[in-house]
Amino acid sequence: MSTGYLKVLTVENLRGSTRQFSLLFEKGKKLTIVYGENGTGKSTICDALDLLGNGRVGSLDNRGLGQTQKYWPSIGKSSTDVQVKLEGSTGECTARLSNREAVIQPAEGRPQIEVLRRSQILSLVEAKPGERYEAIRRFIDVSEIEASEKVLRELIRRIKGDRQLAVERVQENQNTIEQFWDSAGRPSHSAFDWARAAIARDATLLISEREAIERLHSAYFGLSDFPSRYRTATAQLESAKGSVQRTQGQYEEALTTVASGAEDLMDILRSAQSYVTRHPDLQQCPLCGSSEYAQGLAERIKGRIESFKELTTAKAGKSSADAQLDQAKSKLTQVEEDYARKRTQFLKALSSFDWPQDINLADESCPEQVDAASTWLEASAHLRASWYKAQATRQDEEKFIVTLKRALKTYDDNVEAQKGLDVLVPRLEQALAIVEDERRQFTDGVLSEIAKEVGRLYEAIHPRERLDKISLQLDENKRASLELAAEYQGRRDTPPQAYFSDSHLDTLGLCVFLALAEKGQPENTILVLDDVLASADEPHVDRIIDVLYEQAQRFRHCLITTHYGPWKHKLRWGWLKHNQCQFVELSKWTSTEGLLLINSVPDIQRLAQLLGESPPDPQLVCAKSGVLLEAALDFITSLYECSVPRRGNGLYTLGDLLPSVDKKLRKALKVEVLTGSDASGQQIYRTVELGPILDELHRIAQARNVF
């Protein structure tokens, strides 16, 4: 909400705002005057805007409080209770406290606010040159330029260091390459010619040889356990054959002890036992159909089966031995098939590459039969060590080429970097000189414009005092030092602190602040002046008011707090020539009610509002018009020194004031109202005689008391 007019400022639990306080801004009026006696809460309003725009409560600064954040909330409230909201025509922005810091939402909508307090005026005028520079440096906006200069100087320093480092690295890289060259026996007349020729070698051949060796070695290793696997499988087969022979003999011997057909009979008995178990309540024999043998049939079948126990055991042993024999044969067959597959892989790895001379191979080919593999593996076992060595040699060569290539690239890169830096450093130094010169010209130009505007404003406040020759200059011999000077009694470059009065210094500080604030983006800036008119006398204050009216039109909005009584009365009765001002008066502050408004519009505007109501309230109209008439008559009787009964409190009624304007003065009083211009450009005025109006007012004055 950096543009547009203001609608309302709402403050909760900040400093004196113990209850929610809202300040409504009148549309079309860019200047708001907040009047109040000391202790009515004027600074709280300024603090609210300061918090919203700058994240601080400036009225507590420089009071010896240290960290002031704990004093920001109203007494009895916490930081989380504080809220400030500013609504405008383009949106709203809210400030809250989190960990004693202001959090603005939305952050991009934070308004631009400049605050000037009575204590800050002295920092603009009476401060040391270095402190004065700090007070206004953000307005002349050279901090980024100075930061750029600092970065550029640091860049030059760093690049010079980089150049020196590049020189050292070039020498180190050269030494490294020459050491490699020495280790290789200096095969060429130049280390770098040798290095470039070495890295030009095709490294893919080394990689393919190393990978082929790895495949060959892996395939060979896959054959190494087959002798033991074959011996184990063969032993298990022989053992299984022996078990089959032994159990076959036991089974045949058991058959001789029983009647012929015993095996078939056992099968019948087992079937019968199974049937009887499923049908325990048999009434007749299932074979012969006789009922006399059904009783006790299950026990008799069981007895007959037990009489064949030895034959049963022998048959089970024979079946188990037969199964073990089949398993042993299957295992041996699997070993032979696995060996054939691994042998094929080995032969493929052996034949798929054109092996160099340093790779040793077996004198005899890998045997087809697994039982011959043991002898062949023992005869070729020494080959594995040679393959390891050949593989390691190629890995070392690969690493060496990579290392040499990296060293040569680093050397080339550092040489190029050194050449580039040799060209870059002088150009950067030239650029720094240009930036410094441009910054000085820019700063001098800005300060000259500011000083000129300060002089113009100062002359408007102090006309014909010949104090408008103001100058602002940066001291090049001192870091960030701003000198303020004026012309006094014909002497130029005079420090105003030595000769100007306090009032002159205050108004000078105000003019400096206004000129600086105008150098930013005044159309987006809310200007806040907190009770800065204390030391000026009434004629100067009137001229200050005229200047502030003029300046306020250039800003987004201007808010001024004051306890200057004459300004209040002139605004209240509409005596000022400007009409673009909103007048707000604060009542006495209390801890329970906080900030309170008395009236937000001048009485003459309030009377116009009352008359505009339909229907108007006669009682309110008469009361308000009577107050305005008393003020107007008080002005006339004071201006023309009319005879008015003296009162100790200085307050006079219509009964005192109306008769004091005698007939002779009434006849002379008139107002000339400018109505336009004629064809020749001559201004046309309409004359309004005040005598008849005063006579009529005298006649109906008692009507006010009736209503």
Side-chain angles (χ1 to χ4, degrees):
M1 54 170 295
S2 59
T3 58
Y5 60 87
L6 305 184
K7 289 185 176 181
V8 59
L9 172 68
T10 305
V11 188
E12 295 184 50
N13 303 313
L14 176 70
R15 301 283 290 143
S17 180
T18 55
R19 297 182 63 181
Q20 186 183 83
F21 170 79
S22 296
L23 174 60
L24 300 175
F25 295 96
E26 294 185 26
K27 184 178 180 180
K29 296 186 177 181
K30 302 183 73 173
L31 177 61
T32 300
I33 307 297
V34 180
Y35 174 84
E37 300 296 336
N38 292 332
T40 54
K42 301 186 298 298
S43 292
T44 295
I45 298 175
C46 299
D47 286 337
L49 293 171
D50 203 3
L51 181 67
L52 193 65
N54 306 306
R56 64 172 183 264
V57 175
S59 66
L60 297 178
D61 293 343
N62 302 318
R63 293 190 178 184
L65 297 175
Q67 295 292 331
T68 62
Q69 290 88 339
K70 61 182 177 181
Y71 303 111
W72 292 1
S74 303
I75 293 179
K77 300 295 183 179
S78 65
S79 298
T80 56
D81 297 324
V82 175
Q83 177 176 299
V84 177
K85 181 167 68 175
L86 181 62
E87 299 179 44
S89 60
T90 58
E92 65 180 43
C93 188
T94 303
R96 292 182 174 86
L97 296 185
S98 176
N99 296 326
R100 298 182 178 178
E101 292 184 356
V103 177
I104 310 301
Q105 294 178 335
E108 63 275 7
R110 188 172 199 159
Q112 182 175 327
I113 298 177
E114 298 291 348
V115 181
L116 177 66
R117 306 179 191 274
R118 176 72 181 83
S119 60
Q120 292 175 270
I121 292 180
L122 298 180
S123 69
L124 292 173
V125 178
E126 298 182 355
K128 296 178 181 178
E131 296 172 353
R132 185 183 301 118
Y133 177 84
E134 289 298 323
I136 73 166
R137 67 179 300 170
R138 62 193 178 97
F139 295 110
I140 59 178
D141 196 23
V142 295
S143 58
E144 293 185 4
I145 299 175
E146 291 176 334
S148 299
E149 291 178 15
K150 182 179 179 181
V151 171
L152 189 53
R153 291 190 192 94
E154 178 62 25
L155 179 62
I156 293 173
R157 185 196 65 78
R158 182 170 56 81
I159 289 179
K160 286 182 176 179
D162 291 345
R163 181 193 174 280
Q164 182 61 35
L165 184 60
V167 171
E168 295 173 357
R169 286 178 175 173
V170 166
Q171 187 60 47
E172 291 177 0
N173 299 146
Q174 182 175 340
N175 294 339
T176 300
I177 294 173
E178 288 177 349
Q179 289 174 2
F180 288 149
W181 182 48
D182 289 337
S183 299
R186 294 181 173 240
S188 177
H189 69 282
S190 168
F192 288 95
D193 291 343
W194 164 81
R196 297 188 192 283
I199 66 173
R201 291 176 55 192
D202 189 4
T204 57
L205 179 59
L206 292 173
I207 296 174
S208 62
E209 289 180 358
R210 176 176 53 79
E211 292 177 347
I213 295 172
E214 290 177 355
R215 290 193 296 272
L216 180 63
H217 188 273
S218 176
Y220 180 87
F221 183 77
L223 297 171
S224 60
D225 64 336
F226 277 97
S228 61
R229 289 178 60 188
Y230 178 74
R231 287 193 296 270
T232 301
T234 303
Q236 290 177 350
L237 179 60
E238 294 300 324
S239 176
K241 288 179 178 179
S243 296
V244 168
Q245 292 178 356
R246 184 175 61 255
T247 56
Q248 180 65 29
Q250 293 173 352
Y251 177 68
E252 292 175 354
E253 182 179 353
L255 282 176
T256 60
T257 61
V258 296
S260 176
E263 287 190 40
D264 296 336
L265 180 59
M266 284 186 63
D267 292 338
I268 293 173
L269 290 173
R270 288 193 183 94
S271 298
Q273 186 180 40
S274 175
Y275 179 84
V276 172
T277 301
R278 292 195 305 271
H279 303 84
D281 299 327
L282 289 175
Q283 299 299 321
Q284 59 185 10
C285 176
L287 294 178
C288 63
S290 172
S291 59
E292 60 182 304
Y293 295 109
Q295 187 70 23
L297 181 60
E299 286 77 7
R300 291 196 299 275
I301 292 174
K302 181 178 179 183
R304 291 295 301 277
I305 289 175
E306 288 180 353
S307 67
F308 289 100
K309 183 175 183 181
E310 182 178 351
L311 179 61
T312 302
T313 302
K315 185 177 181 180
K318 178 179 178 298
S319 298
S320 176
D322 291 341
Q324 290 178 2
L325 178 61
D326 293 340
Q327 185 178 3
K329 290 179 180 179
S330 176
K331 186 173 182 180
L332 180 59
T333 301
Q334 185 65 47
V335 169
E336 292 172 344
E337 291 175 353
D338 291 346
Y339 174 77
R341 187 175 63 258
K342 291 293 184 178
R343 177 178 178 274
T344 301
Q345 292 178 359
F346 174 76
L347 294 177
K348 182 178 179 181
L350 186 65
S351 61
S352 62
F353 196 79
D354 188 10
W355 298 103
Q357 294 181 355
D358 64 324
I359 303 299
N360 298 322
L361 301 175
D363 295 334
E364 297 181 1
S365 177
C366 181
E368 294 185 8
Q369 301 302 323
V370 65
D371 55 351
S374 177
T375 303
W376 181 83
L377 287 171
E378 291 177 359
S380 60
H382 65 283
L383 296 178
R384 296 181 62 183
S386 66
W387 294 343
Y388 272 125
K389 182 178 179 181
Q391 183 178 347
T393 299
R394 282 155 179 77
Q395 287 179 336
D396 291 342
E397 290 183 12
E398 290 178 36
K399 292 179 181 178
F400 175 74
I401 290 177
V402 171
T403 302
L404 184 60
K405 184 181 295 185
R406 187 184 300 116
L408 193 58
K409 184 179 184 304
T410 303
Y411 171 82
D412 292 337
D413 291 345
N414 286 331
V415 168
E416 289 300 317
Q418 179 184 340
K419 292 179 180 178
L421 295 175
D422 289 341
V423 175
L424 182 59
V425 170
R427 294 181 179 178
L428 288 176
E429 291 176 338
Q430 183 181 7
L432 177 60
I434 294 173
V435 171
E436 288 176 338
D437 184 62
E438 288 294 324
R439 186 256 304 164
R440 293 189 188 97
Q441 293 184 25
F442 170 78
T443 303
D444 292 343
V446 171
L447 292 177
S448 177
E449 293 177 3
I450 294 173
K452 184 177 179 180
E453 178 65 9
V454 171
R456 185 188 72 81
L457 297 173
Y458 204 62
E459 175 65 16
I461 297 174
H462 301 276
R464 297 176 299 279
E465 295 184 22
R466 303 182 66 182
L467 300 175
D468 59 327
K469 299 297 189 295
I470 308 297
S471 65
L472 295 170
Q473 295 179 347
L474 287 176
D475 190 343
E476 289 297 331
N477 297 322
K478 300 178 182 178
R479 180 72 181 96
S481 179
L482 182 67
E483 299 290 345
L484 174 65
E487 182 176 318
Y488 183 76
Q489 296 294 316
R491 298 177 60 182
R492 304 188 64 181
D493 298 331
T494 300
Q497 305 93 314
Y499 300 100
F500 284 19
S501 67
D502 289 343
S503 175
H504 282 75
L505 290 177
D506 284 350
T507 52
L508 177 59
L510 176 62
C511 292
V512 171
F513 178 82
L514 292 175
L516 292 174
E518 191 178 347
K519 287 301 296 180
Q521 295 179 326
E523 68 278 3
N524 297 331
T525 302
I526 300 173
L527 193 64
V528 180
L529 305 178
D530 187 13
D531 218 359
V532 298
L533 309 176
S535 63
D537 54 23
E538 186 170 347
H540 284 90
V541 170
D542 289 342
R543 289 192 287 270
I544 291 174
I545 293 172
D546 291 338
V547 168
L548 292 176
Y549 269 113
E550 173 195 354
Q551 294 299 108
Q553 305 311 309
R554 305 181 185 184
F555 291 87
R556 181 185 178 191
H557 200 87
C558 181
L559 184 143
I560 303 173
T561 66
T562 182
H563 63 271
Y564 182 67
W567 201 354
K568 167 191 172 180
H569 295 296
K570 292 180 181 182
L571 283 165
R572 180 178 181 185
W573 309 125
W575 292 350
L576 292 173
K577 62 181 179 181
H578 302 281
N579 192 36
Q580 295 301 311
C581 172
Q582 174 189 3
F583 179 72
V584 176
E585 185 174 357
L586 296 177
S587 178
K588 184 177 180 181
W589 177 90
T590 64
S591 59
T592 56
E593 298 296 329
L595 278 66
L596 293 175
L597 292 176
I598 296 178
N599 195 0
S600 60
V601 295
D603 282 10
I604 195 168
Q605 294 184 26
R606 178 58 180 155
L607 177 59
Q609 294 173 357
L610 292 172
L611 290 171
E613 294 177 355
S614 180
D617 188 328
Q619 181 180 13
L620 295 178
V621 170
C622 286
K624 184 59 66 178
S625 60
V627 172
L628 285 167
L629 180 58
E630 288 174 352
L633 291 174
D634 184 61
F635 171 76
I636 292 174
T637 56
S638 298
L639 181 64
Y640 295 105
E641 300 179 355
C642 298
S643 177
V644 180
R646 297 183 63 184
R647 293 183 181 276
N649 57 9
L651 301 176
Y652 302 97
T653 65
L654 288 179
D656 300 323
L657 297 170
L658 267 176
S660 298
V661 184
D662 58 26
K663 294 182 179 180
K664 187 180 293 186
L665 179 59
R666 290 185 185 185
K667 187 179 293 187
L669 289 175
K670 61 183 179 180
V671 175
E672 292 186 345
V673 182
L674 179 64
T675 58
S677 302
D678 57 18
S680 62
Q682 189 69 27
Q683 293 180 335
I684 301 175
Y685 290 89
R686 176 173 59 87
T687 302
V688 179
E689 302 290 341
L690 295 185
I693 296 176
L694 291 174
D695 292 340
E696 179 63 14
L697 289 172
H698 188 274
R699 187 184 70 81
I700 66 173
Q702 296 303 319
R704 185 181 77 153
N705 296 334
V706 173
F707 282 109

